Amino acid sequence: MISRMQARSAVIAVLIVLGLPPSAGAMPSTFEAAGPDAAAIQSTVDAFRAALGNPNNANAPGPLPSGRREINWDGGGVATTVSPTPFTGFLNTRGALFTTPGTGFVQAPPSGGPQGGLATLFNNPTYSAFDTFSAPRLFTPIGGTLTNVAFFTPGTNGGLPANVTGFGAVFSDVDFAGSATLTFVNADGVSLGTFSAQPANDGLSFLGLIFPDVPIGQVNIISGNSPLGPNDGFGVDIVLLDDFLYSEPSPVPEPTTLLLFGTTMAGLGLARWRRRRQS
């Protein structure tokens, strides 16, 4: 049995033979916009969709060769839906697993519906003023501000881990720079960096990145500097989440596949080195 460490060592050996550093890769492409309403960020969201690839694969089982996945949280209409962590509602259909250090997650309109939306759930009528990108519902962790997103091959119910090349999210009511961020983590658990959404007080912000050469295994989302409950303002930045967009999840290669690739590429690199030496 070939261990993951052996497979990783083989890949690193390939990079050394080819004269490349193990972390080699192109800089990410960044898509960002902020403004008072959905129209202000629509063109940037559409450009990110196109960069991720068509079509929108919706709930089709994978793996698929191209396209993207989207989650807009609106399938439940105006109902307020509270879910525990981990939240597996989109694990099988779209390959995304959500966890939080808080107590769970909620999908709800800012107000209204049979349960009264976020304004009633958190006993704060000011929450009815939050804007949505795709009506009617928003998404947020409960009891915290951190949402972890891990990726799996759609249709396997979490049985086959996967990577993506890009991820983006819509934020509602970002007041301060640095209070809404995306942290990308590669397939080996190493951070690729933390990136901040542009502020848009009482409006909407979009932030999306594509890493063309680095598989992304996880994205960590910070939404605001305080969990929902208190009023927004006076140093408290309550931020909600709307649409998520990400590339089609690609299955993580088995260690044997990585080792076979590594030895093949190492052989090609050695042959090229010998030809150069002979010439």
Side-chain angles (χ1 to χ4, degrees):
M1 180 67 68
I2 298 171
S3 69
R4 186 176 294 274
M5 181 63 71
Q6 289 172 318
R8 177 169 169 76
S9 298
V11 173
I12 293 176
V14 172
L15 295 171
I16 292 173
V17 168
L18 298 179
L20 297 173
S23 60
M27 293 295 292
S29 299
T30 303
F31 298 74
E32 54 185 342
D37 52 28
I41 66 171
Q42 185 69 62
S43 62
T44 302
V45 174
D46 289 341
F48 188 68
R49 285 183 171 125
L52 290 176
N54 291 311
N56 179 356
N57 291 325
N59 293 335
L64 298 174
S66 61
R68 66 182 188 278
R69 303 281 172 160
E70 297 190 19
I71 301 174
N72 61 22
W73 315 111
D74 300 322
V78 294
T80 297
T81 304
V82 176
S83 305
T85 182
F87 172 45
T88 61
F90 293 96
L91 175 59
N92 190 52
T93 57
R94 301 183 195 179
L97 176 67
F98 302 96
T99 57
T100 179
T103 60
F105 298 97
V106 60
Q107 304 165 69
S111 62
Q115 298 93 1
L118 296 172
T120 297
L121 180 65
F122 293 97
N123 194 29
N124 192 328
T126 67
Y127 290 174
S128 63
F130 281 98
D131 198 5
T132 62
F133 178 72
S134 62
R137 300 204 297 183
L138 296 166
F139 177 74
T140 183
I142 302 172
T145 64
L146 172 62
T147 299
N148 298 312
V149 189
F151 303 100
F152 297 84
T153 303
T156 67
N157 203 31
L160 187 57
N163 298 316
V164 299
T165 58
F167 180 91
V170 174
F171 299 87
S172 179
D173 195 17
V174 179
D175 295 336
F176 309 127
S179 66
T181 64
L182 300 178
T183 298
F184 292 82
V185 180
N186 71 10
D188 295 318
V190 178
S191 174
L192 302 172
T194 297
F195 306 84
S196 298
Q198 297 177 355
N201 187 23
D202 297 329
L204 297 171
S205 307
F206 176 75
L207 176 63
L209 284 90
I210 295 176
F211 291 78
D213 300 322
V214 183
I216 300 164
Q218 181 175 314
V219 178
N220 304 323
I221 306 170
I222 294 293
S223 50
N225 62 16
S226 173
L228 270 71
N231 289 346
D232 189 48
F234 300 102
V236 175
D237 194 3
I238 303 293
V239 177
L240 296 171
L241 297 162
D242 210 337
D243 293 34
F244 288 3
L245 305 89
Y246 49 98
S247 65
E248 177 63 25
S250 177
V252 176
E254 292 293 330
T256 52
T257 303
L258 287 172
L259 184 58
L260 177 62
F261 171 80
T263 54
T264 301
M265 293 302 294
L268 292 174
L270 183 59
R272 186 174 65 177
W273 175 79
R274 286 176 174 170
R275 287 196 302 269
R276 286 179 177 175
R277 179 163 182 163
Q278 289 171 353
S279 62

